[in-house]
Amino acid sequence: MQDEKLKSPHDCEDCPIRHRAVCARCEAEELEQLEEVKYYRNFQAGQTVIWSGDKMDFVGSVVSGIATLTQTMEDGRTQMVGLLLPSDFVGRPGREGSAYDVVATTDMVMCCFRKKPFEQLMERTPHIAQRLLEMTLDELDAAREWMLVLGRKNAREKIASLLSIIARRDATLHLRPTEGALVFDLPLTREAMADYLGLTLETVSRQISALKRDGVILLEGKRHVTVPDVSRLMEEAGDDSDGGMFA
C-alpha cells in the first residue's frame, strides 16, 4: 500500500518545509510533543488522499509533491478549486470531514498528525495555533486574489499569473531569491492547468508557446521552466502582487 504509515525519515530540525509549515515557530519541547503524534504517508500520483465528506482522522502538511482540491456538483460536474504545494496544510481542526476531494497530482509525501491529539496540542501550544491562523488568513486572501485571476484576466495573463506564483513559491520554499531569473519544474500537466484556470487544453498550450516565443519563459521539455526575468513575467500577468496563496 502506497499510503501506509511510515516512520519519520528525518528530524523536524532537518525538515525541508520547516520554515513554512505549521510548526515553523515551535520550540524544541513543542516539537517533541508533535513528534509523538506524527507519522508520514506516501501517495502515488492520481491517488485520493481524502474524499469530500469523509471523516478525517488526521491533519498535516505536504512535504513534497502536489495535490488538487476538487469539488463535485450534484450533476457530477467537477471543478478544481485549489492546489496544495509543499508546506500547505491539509485538514481543519475542529471539523470532522473534508469539504473537498484531495487528490495527489504527483507522487506526494505528507507529514501527518493524529487529529484529536493535534487539536489538544493547539490548546496548549500558542505557537501552533497562531501559525495555523496566519496560514488560514493567507489562504483566505489567496482565494480572493484568485477570483480576480479567474474573473478578470485574459488567457495569457492567467497562464503568466500561475507560472509566476509557482516560480516564486518554489524559490521561497528553497530559500532562494524571488527576483531576477528563476528556474523550476512545473508540477502540473497542461491538462490540469486548463482545468484549474477554466481554459481549454489548446488555449493553455498556445499561450505557453507564445510566452516561450516572446522570450518570457524558456522550456526544456514540457515541465522544466526557466524565467529569465520574473518581473517581466509578472508584467505579463497584469499584476505585480505576490499571488497570495502560493507566496
Side-chain angles (χ1 to χ4, degrees):
M1 292 291 293
Q2 288 298 318
D3 63 346
E4 64 181 336
K5 296 179 181 180
L6 303 174
K7 186 177 180 181
S8 171
H10 48 64
D11 294 330
C12 287
E13 292 292 343
D14 300 322
C15 178
I17 64 167
R18 170 73 198 284
H19 61 292
R20 290 186 53 89
V22 68
C23 56
R25 296 179 181 171
C26 288
E27 298 176 355
E29 182 179 348
E30 296 165 339
L31 290 175
E32 289 177 3
Q33 295 179 59
L34 281 174
E35 189 75 31
E36 295 177 359
V37 301
K38 182 182 76 173
Y39 59 92
Y40 284 79
R41 295 180 70 178
N42 280 1
F43 297 91
Q44 287 184 327
Q47 187 175 358
T48 300
V49 177
I50 189 74
W51 292 104
S52 174
D54 281 358
K55 185 175 180 179
M56 292 188 67
D57 60 0
F58 71 93
V59 295
S61 298
V62 178
V63 177
S64 64
I66 183 173
T68 60
L69 300 175
T70 304
Q71 200 160 33
T72 303
M73 302 174 67
E74 290 186 1
D75 61 5
R77 286 179 294 168
T78 61
Q79 175 62 50
M80 190 191 303
V81 296
L83 297 174
L84 295 171
L85 297 178
S87 78
D88 284 338
F89 196 76
V90 181
R92 290 292 181 268
R95 179 183 293 177
E96 288 295 320
S98 172
Y100 309 102
D101 295 335
V102 181
V103 180
T105 301
T106 66
D107 290 347
M108 186 173 72
V109 177
M110 282 191 60
C111 174
C112 301
F113 305 101
R114 289 186 286 121
K115 190 165 179 287
K116 290 299 181 182
F118 182 84
E119 291 173 344
Q120 294 168 357
L121 269 176
M122 284 183 61
E123 296 178 0
R124 306 194 306 265
T125 310
H127 288 153
I128 295 176
Q130 291 169 0
R131 177 59 182 152
L132 188 57
L133 175 61
E134 289 177 357
M135 296 172 73
T136 302
L137 293 175
D138 285 345
E139 185 178 326
L140 176 61
D141 288 342
R144 290 168 173 166
E145 291 190 32
W146 198 246
M147 288 175 63
L148 174 64
V149 174
L150 297 181
R152 293 297 181 183
K153 294 189 176 184
N154 61 37
R156 184 180 175 102
E157 290 172 335
K158 287 180 179 180
I159 297 294
S161 293
L162 183 58
L163 291 176
S164 66
I165 287 167
I166 293 176
R168 284 174 292 141
R169 172 61 175 269
D170 182 81
T172 300
L173 187 67
H174 293 94
L175 301 177
R176 296 194 295 259
T178 57
E179 300 177 349
L182 298 180
V183 180
F184 64 99
D185 289 320
L186 187 63
L188 293 172
T189 65
R190 296 188 182 187
E191 291 85 352
M193 292 175 67
D195 187 16
Y196 190 42
L197 294 170
L199 302 172
T200 65
L201 174 59
E202 292 76 12
T203 298
V204 170
S205 295
R206 186 167 59 250
Q207 294 300 331
I208 288 178
S209 295
L211 290 170
K212 177 182 177 182
R213 183 181 61 246
D214 295 341
V216 180
I217 62 173
L218 305 175
L219 286 178
E220 182 178 334
K222 291 187 175 181
R223 297 291 188 90
H224 191 67
V225 181
T226 298
V227 180
D229 183 357
V230 71
S231 63
R232 184 183 175 193
L233 179 61
M234 293 168 65
E235 289 175 2
E236 293 289 347
D239 192 343
D240 62 357
S241 72
D242 65 3
M245 70 188 132
F246 297 136

